[in-house]
């Protein structure tokens, strides 16, 4: 029996040392120490021993049990360490590795120009207001002195949603909304998208951007209009820029003008950008028509004002020498990355 116990101790020791997994160790524990294990089986035979032998064998059996338990604990500990080491190995952090770069987006050229415009006009004391892109016929035309069936409607090929609702064809609608809501003095700009049923080509898009401006107060004259617009043109195109006011027609301004700036590309000699004329048309403007003021409850005998509408896309195209307006709307990152 003594021999048997020594035998168990030796084989168990070896088996435990060679165990390769936690599960294997657990199996060995059951095999040797479990209720139906080898050691237990031997202890069951102790009844047949003599009174002298029994304590000796009993002590040995306890020792064997103790050493097997110790071996299991030791091997378990080793395995835990090995597993930890392996994990640490796998998760090594290489701090010399280049980090992942995050790509930062940029502003669309339209927004760059728009932000500049807002800066310029805010510095001259203008508020920035917003207006809806889906407008009523009333705000877009009627209140701007363009009654139904008036031939001036042909100037702007309009998208109708129904008889009274349209996609605004001009930010001028915001003039009316502002004058309805506020009393003079008024000094506002309203940037936004406008829509016209145009065929798409290199210079036309059915969606484009305008910035409306409106000033209403006592004693506002054409001189104020010229001063503000000249200042704006010089800030956008440079100090040397010349500004030309040509007589024009808009139903909601009287007199009306179109404003050209000397071509920043050729300095006025004539080139591809200005189509040889030396000038680039950038906006329409004029003195607010008395009918428009009156309709908004402002007495034209007391107050006067001027308004202008700047083509933002045109500004972006000439500033950045963009050859095709479609590039502004295609949103190809290879194009957008250049700004
Ligand atoms: N709304 C006009 C257009 O789109 C421009 C304009 C605005 C003209 C304000 C005069 C005054 O053509």
């Amino acid at each position: 029996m003594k021999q048997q116990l020594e035998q168990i101790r030796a084989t168990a020791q070896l088996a435990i040392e060679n165990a390769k997994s936690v599960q294997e160790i657990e199996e060995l524990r059951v095999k040797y120490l479990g209720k139906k294990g080898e050691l237990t089986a031997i202890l069951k035979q102790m009844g047949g021993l003599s009174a002298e032998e029994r304590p000796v064998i009993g002590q040995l059996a306890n020792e064997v049990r103790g050493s097997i338990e110790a071996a299991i604990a030791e091997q378990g500990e080793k395995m835990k360490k090995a597993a930890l080491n392996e994990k640490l190995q796998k998760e090594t952090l290489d701090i010399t590795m280049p980090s992942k770069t995050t790509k930062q987006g940029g502003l669309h050229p339209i927004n760059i120009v728009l932000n500049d415009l807002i800066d310029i006009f805010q510095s001259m004391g203008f508020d920035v207001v917003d207006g809806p892109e889906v407008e009523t016929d009333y705000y877009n035309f009627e209140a701007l002195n363009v009654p139904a069936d008036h031939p001036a409607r042909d100037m702007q090929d309009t998208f109708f949603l129904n008889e009274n609702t349209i996609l605004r064809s001009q930010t001028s609608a915001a003039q009316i909304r502002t004058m309805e809501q506020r009393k003079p003095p008024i000094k506002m700009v309203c940037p936004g998208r406008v829509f016209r049923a145009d065929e798409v080509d290199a210079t036309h898009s059915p969606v484009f951007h305008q910035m409306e401006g409106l000033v209403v107060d006592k004693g506002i004259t054409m001189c104020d209009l010229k001063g503000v617009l000249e200042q704006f043109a010089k800030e956008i195109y440079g100090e040397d820029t010349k500004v030309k006011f040509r007589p024009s027609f808009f139903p909601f301004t009287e007199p009306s003008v179109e404003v050209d700036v000397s071509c920043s590309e050729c300095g006025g000699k004539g080139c591809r950008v200005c189509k040889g004329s030396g000038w680039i048309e950038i906006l329409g403007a004029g003195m607010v028509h008395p009918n428009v003021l009156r309709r908004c409850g402002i007495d034209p005998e007391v107050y006067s004002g001027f308004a202008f509408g700047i083509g933002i896309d045109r500004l972006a195209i000439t500033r950045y020498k963009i050859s095709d307006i479609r590039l502004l709307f295609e949103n190809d990152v290879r194009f957008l990355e250049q700004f």
Side-chain angles (χ1 to χ4, degrees), residues 79-99:
M79 257 165 188
K80 258 197 221 156
K81 266 193 200 147
L84 181 65
N85 275 338
E86 195 186 335
K87 199 172 171 207
L88 288 175
Q89 205 77 49
K90 266 200 218 146
E91 291 177 0
T92 35
L93 182 67
D94 181 357
I95 57 166
T96 64
M97 225 161 80
S99 62

Side-chain angles (χ1 to χ4, degrees), residues 114-128 187-189 211-215 228-229 231-233 235-236 283 306 308 310 315:
L114 176 57
N115 287 346
D116 287 353
L117 290 179
I118 288 177
D119 269 356
I120 292 169
F121 283 105
Q122 273 185 332
S123 75
M124 290 196 256
F126 285 73
D127 300 328
V128 181
K187 212 173 173 189
M188 69 79 167
V189 286
M211 178 139 120
E212 195 75 11
L214 174 70
V215 173
V228 164
L229 292 181
Q231 179 65 26
F232 142 77
E235 291 202 40
I236 284 282
L283 62 88
F306 67 80
F308 55 86
I310 303 169
L315 284 195

